[in-house]
Amino acid sequence: MASTKMILDLDTGIDDALALALAVCDPRVDLIGVIASYGNTLVETSAQNTLNLLHLLGATDVPVYLGESHSSTTENFNVMPISKSIHGDNGIANLLLKPATRTIEQTSGIQFLIDMAHKYQDALVYVPTGPLTNMSKALEIDPKIANLIGNTTLMGGALTVPGNVTPFTEANINQDPEAADHVFTTQENLTMVGLDVTLRTLLTKNETQQWRDLGTQAGITYADLMDFYIDAYDQLNIDHHGAALHDPLAVAVAIDPSYVVTIPLNMHVTFDETTKDYGRTIGDKARLLEPTTTKIAVSVNSQRFVRDFMDFMVAVLKD
Ligand code: CA
């Protein structure tokens, strides 16, 4: 029986789509809901992409909730051109998926997160793979969730490598550095899965061909999604060897932390727009002597992760 109650918070997004599939198929996980975020797409597009992907994967029992539509410091949100280049105009490689019969839940994603934190407490694992706006908002409304949620494993940030938006700043953090700082300085039992490790987990067309060869609708769709992403990585000179498994690695680490080596360090995020290190995830000087609440992944067993990831994906895509 799955003992881990997982909530994903996705800005779906191609690697979010992979993270979703991994959470759906891992028998150790009970995926109790997905919160949609803005980021790779607008929030409504992200929610509908998630619903359609869950439909494709046969996981129609998973509810999808709307999160915030923009950052905590702006009035609205426009998708960045680079996001469209990497994920397609609609976030999912411009593919037109069969629409889900299920619709978006009426409850807000923020309220859902708060309710589930109280209900499941230590058994709840929360995995945000987009901006941290939703979690920051939930913490603002109900600060108690900071030590209720069993573990939060986020995809974002960069400590030992440069960022991918600026030399200091990673894309998810860049969307809302102030919210990210609120989460890093408030939330307990936090694990950061950032570029330090995700850039070392690459998938190539050799692997996606295995999905395509399954001949199923899900296999072909996921191969099309990932090939678009691999081509974008190549064309944008991000990586010519393959594309990074950012978001699925966060899900995998949330289930099995032994994929990575972590260091304990209290972190904060710089959000002064006048400084060149805007959006940097870095050790919090003010809390260096305090007990640590955050673990930072700095090394990963990529071979083992990619092998396990492929085993799970083939299992979920084959029927
Ligand atoms: Ca994402």
Side-chain angles (χ1 to χ4, degrees), residues 41-306:
T41 64
L42 300 176
V43 67
E44 294 84 2
T45 313
S46 161
Q48 194 58 50
N49 287 346
T50 300
L51 279 168
N52 296 350
L53 288 161
L54 286 167
H55 187 80
L56 175 75
L57 295 166
T60 50
D61 57 331
V62 181
V64 176
Y65 301 84
L66 279 183
E68 296 291 282
S69 60
H70 56 81
S71 84
S72 53
T73 54
T74 55
E75 293 300 316
N76 52 50
F77 171 74
N78 295 308
V79 180
M80 290 166 73
I82 183 74
S83 305
K84 292 185 181 180
S85 301
I86 294 173
H87 297 273
D89 291 347
N90 69 349
I92 46 169
N94 303 323
L95 298 182
L96 289 175
L97 299 184
K98 197 172 164 197
T101 41
R102 194 177 179 119
T103 54
I104 299 166
E105 304 301 310
Q106 293 298 311
T107 314
S108 84
I110 314 289
Q111 193 56 49
F112 173 68
L113 177 58
I114 293 169
D115 291 346
M116 294 304 105
H118 284 272
K119 183 172 179 185
Y120 292 116
Q121 305 191 15
D122 277 351
L124 179 65
V125 171
Y126 171 62
V127 185
T129 68
L132 291 167
T133 313
N134 293 332
M135 181 168 229
S136 173
K137 189 84 181 176
L139 281 164
E140 200 179 292
I141 295 168
D142 185 355
K144 283 200 291 292
I145 67 164
N147 53 29
L148 281 180
I149 298 172
N151 175 270
T152 298
T153 300
L154 69 96
M155 192 281 131
L159 181 66
T160 61
V161 295
N164 54 3
V165 175
T166 78
F168 293 104
T169 310
E170 180 277 333
N172 286 335
I173 303 294
N174 181 62
Q175 301 281 15
D176 194 347
E178 198 159 342
D181 182 65
H182 183 210
V183 170
F184 272 104
T185 56
T186 310
Q187 185 61 34
E188 297 184 17
N189 297 318
L190 194 65
T191 304
M192 176 178 124
V193 175
L195 300 179
D196 310 273
V197 284
T198 63
L199 287 176
R200 299 191 223 174
T201 59
L202 296 181
L203 207 73
T204 71
K205 288 189 177 176
N206 292 331
E207 282 85 29
T208 59
Q209 188 61 45
Q210 295 178 41
W211 302 348
R212 198 175 293 289
D213 290 346
L214 296 169
T216 59
Q217 186 73 55
I220 293 163
T221 303
Y222 266 81
D224 286 345
L225 277 173
M226 194 61 194
D227 284 355
F228 183 96
Y229 193 66
I230 292 168
D231 287 340
Y233 261 60
D234 186 40
Q235 284 153 17
L236 295 164
N237 289 320
I238 301 170
D239 202 308
H240 299 297
H241 302 98
L245 294 168
H246 300 291
D247 295 354
L249 182 62
V251 170
V253 171
I255 301 166
D256 181 356
S258 73
Y259 283 116
V260 292
V261 173
T262 62
I263 55 166
L265 181 65
N266 287 325
M267 302 275 284
H268 78 143
V269 180
T270 51
F271 56 86
D272 178 350
E273 279 183 67
T274 63
T275 62
K276 68 178 179 189
D277 64 345
Y278 174 76
R280 184 183 194 186
T281 45
I282 188 73
D284 185 358
K285 200 175 166 202
R287 294 187 300 139
L288 284 180
L289 301 181
E290 292 180 18
T292 49
T293 55
T294 303
K295 295 188 178 90
I296 316 299
V298 290
S299 171
V300 58
N301 187 335
S302 325
Q303 265 190 328
R304 190 185 136 221
F305 165 66
V306 174

Side-chain angles (χ1 to χ4, degrees), residues 11 15-16 40 129-130 172 247:
D11 58 330
D15 56 327
D16 302 83
N40 293 325
T129 68
N172 286 335
D247 295 354

